[in-house]
Amino acid sequence: MRKLLFTTVLFMTAFADGATASDVEARIDALLARMTLEEKVGQMTLRGFSSRSKNDSEVFEEAVRNGRIGAMLNVMDKSAADRLQHVAVKESRLGIPLLYGRDVIHGFRTIFPIPLGQAATWNPGLVERGARIAAEEASTYGVRWTFAPMLDIARDPRWGRIAESPGEDPYLASALGAAMVRGFQGESLSDPTSLAACAKHFAGYGAAESGRDYATTNIPQNELRNVHLRPFKAAVDAGVRTLMTSFSDIDGVPASANAFLLRDVLREEWGFDGFVVSDWDSVRQLQIHGLTANDRESAFEAVTAGVDMEMHGDAYSEHLEQLVEAGEVSADLVDRAVARILRTKFELGLFDKPYTDPRDLPPIADTNALTTARQAALQSVVLLKNDHHVLPLYMEELESVAIIGPLADAPYEQLGTWIFDGDPELSVTPMHAIHALVGDHVDVRYLRAMENSRSRNTDAFDEAVQIASESDAVILFLGEESILSGEAHSRADISLPGAQAQLVQRIRETGKPVVAVILAGRPLTLTNIVDLVDAILFAWHPGTMGGPAIADLLFGVESPSGKLPATFPRMVGQIPIYYNQKNTGKPPSPDTIIHIDDIDTHAPQLSFGMTAFHLDAGYTPLFPFGHGLSYAYFDYQNIRVSEAEIGLGESVTISVDVTNTGDIAADEVVQLYVRDLVGNVTRPVKELKAFRRLHFRPGQKITVEFDLHTDELAFYGRNMQLMTEPGQFHAWIGGSSATELRTEFRIADNN
Ligand code: BGC
């Protein structure tokens, strides 16, 4: 069924009924000519069932009938959705269909790893397949618009929404964001299984001060363009149909009133022709920010900045008509916003097929969905350390294994944040999967030991120690429950919560091999436990099929291949810490730093390196961006460039020989980094420019080539123009951002 649908999609035109773009424009114009101002404002209004409201379709029927609502979110009762849609198309004056939106973030019923976990796969194809499955499942409920992907660059793991982000790097985020857009939107938007995607939150939300959600952001324009805007540009280039503004204040103008972002950049520079929706009530919040004095002013600021649709809130519905009638907002501006919304509805085929019929759609949580979720989980898990090759565990060598911890058998917690429609009953937990995989050969003993990840009660620790002492190996399932990350769930201390570190300490004292599997929504500071365990598998919140994926990795059925999409700090005080930082005028090095414990009493002020580091943390992270070990071993040799010098507009090929010197087949993500040594603005010390996930047989050598065009080295300089500067470049290839295998090339000055 799924295959059939896909083939059909390929041959579809952009519009469901074979109409051309100009037919559609004519229909939009005809509708606009007949619409009252009230009906136009209605199209610009997104209303939702909230968890606190009565979820009663009758509350909305009258407004839909009167053309006062253009789109709805969170209407997940299919009969209510169909009823309201019927009112819209049959009982409203112009019969304009409703558009149903939902936060389909990392799966619908089948849950994939949290987006940060998906980013750790470095596998855009797999991420695209996951988004496609989510779209197919969600459309069964009439949803045709998802508020995803979230493309906020996140360099602060205290921020709870880092879980929803693609991590710290603009290149990786762009590749994965574009993949999600393709997956959600499918080959043609008019396919009933396609969702319009929504790149959010435009822009800069991830830079919230101290990682406190919704806090102010201060981003210089240069960094905004070179870092934060890049994934959004990639999403626009991939055809994303909608964007959502951010809640946050950026340089004094909250995003929902930011004409620079919404008009100058998005529409004028990038030519975006979809529509922009505000975040939940963020138009009215302009007043709370202190930008406006009342809702009327908020509506004015938002609409003139370029917000086409207001999500929740009444600023548009109560004030826009008057603003137009008073001549403060032009009728033309409103018409253009409405045209963009109608165009998306036409593209989705809603005028011709306003309802989805589950019988026409692929089944939910079928084998394909579960297999893909399992593969995504498998590729998302990062092996952070593996002393003395303690992993994989060999079932032939073990008589017993102890499974201890609050997250070994927690079907809901492994799903992560934003899983409104996920079904915990589908979850296969690690504990169950380990039993299924090795239970016939190995005595598996399980103790939860803590009620939840935050528990401070240590009463069960003696029993945990006893079970551990009687077993050949211990697997600890630690981390954060899902509620500790996500929107409005920021933390100031990002170490393992509750008494988990004490549990690790007690288990270490048994002298048994200890493996920690950590499930969490963010990078954690693991400094206090990293030396107490022999191996760490960092599994994020891995989703429905996390259990079997983790079991396969623990027992060597598969090799880990995830790579970190965000830096793991040693201590919170190092944040923000990210690999693609600037050099500073006083860069640190191993011989210019000193540890606080090694400073002599009365040491003279200038006696040790005058460089950029912390006395108590140095300057390196605990685990760098791109890091991730394997059960295989990858040897990188012979990095070279095709040309030592190229001209602007040309490409250079950078190659390396990678050999799997281990005796196990495994995937490796080969990463290319570049540094532009001199720029008219300072450039990062390293920037990811390409990557490739490759499968290696034992002993196999692959020559990996990356073609790099000089356009890919472009950046925004002092005059805010995107340009590539001639000069010298360093290039590195390796299995993480810490690679030192380097070559160089030059871009000649053509003049
Ligand atoms: C979030 C958005 C989300 C919206 C609708 C807001 O609070 O910031 O990301 O799409 O709610 O649920």
Side-chain angles (χ1 to χ4, degrees):
M1 176 61 165
R2 192 182 302 276
K3 216 174 183 152
L4 250 176
L5 268 173
F6 185 69
T7 343
T8 329
V9 167
L10 283 177
F11 294 102
M12 278 196 173
T13 50
F15 298 99
D17 57 357
T20 63
S22 62
D23 295 339
V24 166
E25 291 311 309
R27 287 178 73 180
I28 292 171
D29 288 344
L31 270 175
L32 280 171
R34 294 178 61 203
M35 286 170 89
T36 62
L37 186 52
E38 191 181 25
E39 286 164 337
K40 289 176 184 171
V41 174
Q43 287 305 305
M44 297 168 75
T45 301
L46 168 60
R47 294 245 179 264
F49 284 9
S50 81
S51 50
R52 286 181 288 276
S53 81
K54 237 175 93 207
N55 286 8
D56 185 349
S57 63
E58 282 168 26
V59 174
F60 295 97
E61 271 187 31
E62 195 56 17
V64 171
R65 191 172 291 113
N66 294 334
R68 300 298 301 255
I69 297 181
M72 299 201 66
L73 73 160
N74 301 340
V75 183
M76 299 315 293
D77 171 347
K78 181 77 166 66
S79 59
D82 286 350
R83 168 81 198 128
L84 285 166
Q85 189 68 297
H86 177 86
V87 173
V89 298
K90 295 288 179 211
E91 298 176 21
S92 76
R93 200 173 69 89
L94 297 171
I96 300 173
L98 289 167
L99 170 60
Y100 286 115
R102 181 70 161 168
D103 289 285
V104 182
I105 307 295
H106 53 113
F108 183 76
R109 190 74 80 242
T110 309
I111 299 296
F112 295 85
I114 53 169
L116 190 62
Q118 291 189 48
T121 68
W122 296 53
N123 188 339
L126 184 56
V127 167
E128 180 176 338
R129 290 213 299 284
R132 184 88 291 274
I133 290 164
E136 289 170 354
E137 292 190 355
S139 55
T140 311
Y141 280 74
V143 174
R144 297 299 307 281
W145 183 22
T146 175
F147 305 121
M150 188 184 105
L151 297 178
D152 301 308
I153 295 295
R155 292 175 166 180
D156 193 328
R158 291 171 296 186
W159 190 46
R161 299 197 84 166
I162 194 171
E164 292 173 62
S165 87
E168 76 185 34
D169 180 70
Y171 180 85
L172 183 61
S174 300
L176 299 173
M180 282 198 188
V181 169
R182 288 193 299 269
F184 286 131
Q185 297 195 165
E187 289 286 328
S188 162
L189 264 194
S190 65
D191 184 278
T193 67
S194 289
L195 311 185
C198 181
K200 70 187 189 186
H201 305 86
F202 195 63
Y205 186 32
E209 283 178 348
S210 76
R212 191 164 47 93
D213 205 5
Y214 315 127
T216 298
T217 69
N218 285 298
I219 312 172
Q221 197 188 139
N222 185 272
E223 187 183 326
L224 184 71
R225 287 179 175 278
N226 285 320
V227 177
H228 296 270
L229 295 187
R230 277 176 52 197
F232 289 96
K233 175 68 163 61
V236 168
D237 290 345
V240 74
R241 297 317 289 142
T242 73
L243 262 83
M244 186 189 295
T245 58
S246 157
F247 282 125
S248 45
D249 180 338
I250 176 163
D251 206 10
V253 185
S256 298
N258 201 304
F260 165 71
L261 284 173
L262 302 177
R263 293 211 171 280
D264 302 356
V265 174
L266 182 62
R267 300 248 177 245
E268 275 156 39
E269 286 181 31
W270 298 355
F272 176 64
D273 66 350
F275 73 85
V276 173
V277 65
S278 78
D279 203 343
W280 184 273
D281 214 15
S282 68
V283 175
R284 288 198 316 190
Q285 288 166 14
L286 294 173
Q287 183 188 347
I288 306 174
H289 276 282
L291 188 84
T292 60
N294 50 46
D295 288 353
R296 189 177 193 276
E297 286 182 22
S298 297
F300 172 83
E301 289 288 342
V303 80
T304 51
V307 176
D308 301 311
M309 185 186 277
E310 182 184 15
M311 181 197 292
H312 192 76
D314 299 311
Y316 280 14
S317 56
E318 290 191 357
H319 302 285
L320 208 43
E321 271 178 79
Q322 291 164 22
L323 283 165
V324 175
E325 278 155 7
E328 291 172 52
V329 168
S330 81
D332 184 50
L333 189 142
V334 167
D335 280 3
R336 276 181 281 135
V338 175
R340 289 193 278 264
I341 293 162
L342 294 176
R343 191 173 300 123
T344 306
K345 292 185 177 183
F346 275 111
E347 288 169 344
L348 285 163
L350 288 172
F351 281 87
D352 304 294
K353 222 171 173 264
Y355 312 96
T356 51
D357 185 343
R359 286 168 307 183
D360 295 344
L361 300 172
I364 279 186
D366 66 354
T367 312
N368 175 51
L370 296 176
T371 311
T372 310
R374 179 173 179 158
Q375 202 185 357
L378 188 79
Q379 296 191 4
S380 75
V381 176
V382 182
L383 179 62
L384 292 178
K385 68 170 275 187
N386 193 17
D387 290 352
H388 343 288
H389 305 287
V390 69
L391 285 178
L393 300 170
Y394 292 103
M395 64 175 110
E396 312 78 53
E397 294 171 8
L398 292 177
E399 275 179 21
S400 56
V401 64
I403 299 178
I404 298 171
L407 294 171
D409 192 26
Y412 176 80
E413 307 305 343
Q414 74 185 46
L415 300 181
T417 186
W418 284 117
I419 46 107
F420 292 153
D421 306 290
D423 182 357
E425 292 202 358
L426 287 175
S427 290
V428 184
T429 68
M431 202 274 287
H432 278 104
I434 292 169
H435 258 291
L437 185 65
V438 302
D440 289 346
H441 308 277
V442 182
D443 183 8
V444 181
R445 297 138 181 195
Y446 166 61
L447 184 73
R448 190 180 180 103
M450 296 170 67
E451 192 193 336
N452 59 42
S453 69
R454 292 162 290 145
S455 171
R456 295 186 192 283
N457 184 334
T458 59
D459 290 353
F461 286 12
D462 287 345
E463 192 186 347
V465 166
Q466 193 186 340
I467 291 175
S469 314
E470 291 164 359
S471 303
D472 296 331
V474 186
I475 311 171
L476 292 174
F477 282 88
L478 308 171
E480 293 179 322
E481 304 148 67
S482 66
I483 194 66
L484 299 187
S485 60
E487 184 175 354
H489 293 78
S490 297
R491 296 179 61 204
D493 171 0
I494 53 166
S495 60
L496 287 172
Q500 294 185 75
Q502 276 168 267
L503 177 64
V504 177
Q505 179 66 48
R506 293 285 312 274
I507 299 298
R508 167 82 297 171
E509 286 161 12
T510 64
K512 298 290 178 174
V514 183
V515 175
V517 180
I518 299 181
L519 284 77
R522 54 162 63 79
L524 299 174
T525 48
L526 300 172
T527 308
N528 60 344
I529 62 120
V530 70
D531 294 331
L532 301 179
V533 297
D534 300 292
I536 302 178
L537 278 173
F538 204 88
W540 318 100
H541 287 132
T544 305
M545 296 301 283
I550 290 169
D552 282 354
L553 293 170
L554 285 168
F555 290 92
V557 180
E558 301 278 354
S559 172
S561 58
K563 299 280 187 177
L564 294 180
T567 302
F568 274 46
R570 296 174 191 279
M571 305 182 191
V572 162
Q574 291 182 296
I575 298 169
I577 180 168
Y578 47 91
Y579 85 94
N580 39 4
Q581 59 184 305
K582 300 291 184 67
N583 204 29
T584 80
K586 291 174 181 280
S589 61
D591 46 347
T592 62
I593 68 166
I594 189 164
H595 191 266
I596 194 162
D597 296 337
D598 302 329
I599 300 173
D600 292 337
T601 314
H602 303 307
Q605 159 132 23
L606 309 181
S607 60
F608 45 85
M610 304 283 283
T611 60
F613 70 100
H614 289 112
L615 290 177
D616 44 5
Y619 63 95
T620 58
L622 189 59
F623 298 108
F625 175 85
H627 170 75
L629 304 174
S630 167
Y631 298 153
Y633 180 77
F634 295 102
D635 181 41
Y636 286 76
Q637 295 283 345
N638 200 15
I639 187 169
R640 58 211 182 263
V641 287
S642 57
E643 245 97 28
E645 184 170 290
I646 54 171
L648 279 171
E650 294 175 358
S651 293
V652 59
T653 304
I654 305 160
S655 331
V656 72
D657 300 329
V658 188
T659 310
N660 175 1
T661 59
D663 52 10
I664 181 169
D667 279 10
E668 167 73 339
V669 179
V670 180
Q671 305 161 35
L672 169 73
Y673 295 88
V674 165
R675 177 171 180 190
D676 183 351
L677 293 188
V678 180
N680 88 70
V681 293
T682 54
R683 308 291 302 127
V685 291
K686 263 182 189 169
E687 285 184 287
L688 182 68
K689 286 293 171 191
F691 60 86
R692 210 165 295 153
R693 175 181 269 273
L694 295 167
H695 187 72
F696 290 78
R697 295 186 306 273
Q700 188 181 5
K701 173 168 128 182
I702 300 179
T703 297
V704 186
E705 297 186 344
F706 294 106
D707 292 330
L708 191 64
H709 190 272
T710 57
D711 285 353
E712 294 169 71
L713 298 166
F715 62 95
Y716 288 89
R718 271 183 237 193
N719 59 3
M720 297 302 159
Q721 297 300 315
L722 187 63
M723 54 185 270
T724 306
E725 288 184 352
Q728 197 69 17
F729 292 78
H730 284 168
W732 296 259
I733 299 180
S736 93
S737 64
T739 172
E740 293 180 352
L741 189 65
R742 192 182 89 189
T743 182
E744 54 193 306
F745 61 93
R746 188 170 185 80
I747 300 181
D749 197 339
N750 290 355
N751 303 315

